[in-house]
């Protein structure tokens, strides 16, 4: 039976492997792929993927992340 640490490790491993796979693709291929936001699951718009091929979140979710970061400090 898996505990919370095992589950967290599996989630982290999944996110890291996706990020590494995306990073290894040429920008032209990564920009053409349908990539979903890791926060809300909606497709990241093509314009955002072309402007920031490393992005893993949509603009709305990234804005929320940044707002949370400002409030934590």
């Amino acid at each position: 039976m898996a505990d919370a640490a095992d589950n967290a490790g599996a989630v982290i491993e999944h996110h890291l492997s996706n990020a590494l796979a995306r990073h290894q693709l040429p920008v032209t291929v990564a920009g053409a792929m349908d990539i979903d936001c890791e926060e809300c699951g909606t497709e990241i718009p093509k314009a955002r993927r072309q402007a920031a091929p490393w992005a893993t979140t949509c603009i709305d979710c990234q804005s929320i992340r940044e707002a949370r970061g400002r409030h934590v400090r």
Side-chain angles (χ1 to χ4, degrees):
M1 181 185 230
D3 64 359
D6 291 331
N7 292 336
V11 169
I12 290 169
E13 184 177 342
H14 174 75
H15 285 289
L16 285 175
S17 66
N18 285 344
L20 287 172
R22 190 176 303 125
H23 179 72
Q24 292 172 348
L25 293 173
V27 173
T28 54
V29 173
M33 291 175 52
D34 291 338
I35 299 175
D36 296 335
C37 174
E38 64 182 28
E39 294 287 328
C40 67
T42 61
E43 183 182 341
I44 298 173
K46 184 177 180 178
R48 176 157 172 78
R49 291 192 319 258
Q50 289 175 339
W54 58 86
T56 60
T57 58
C58 65
I59 293 172
D60 292 337
C61 290
Q62 185 62 35
S63 297
I64 292 169
R65 277 184 171 186
E66 291 174 3
R68 277 191 220 141
R70 285 189 215 114
H71 294 293
V72 172
R73 293 179 185 171

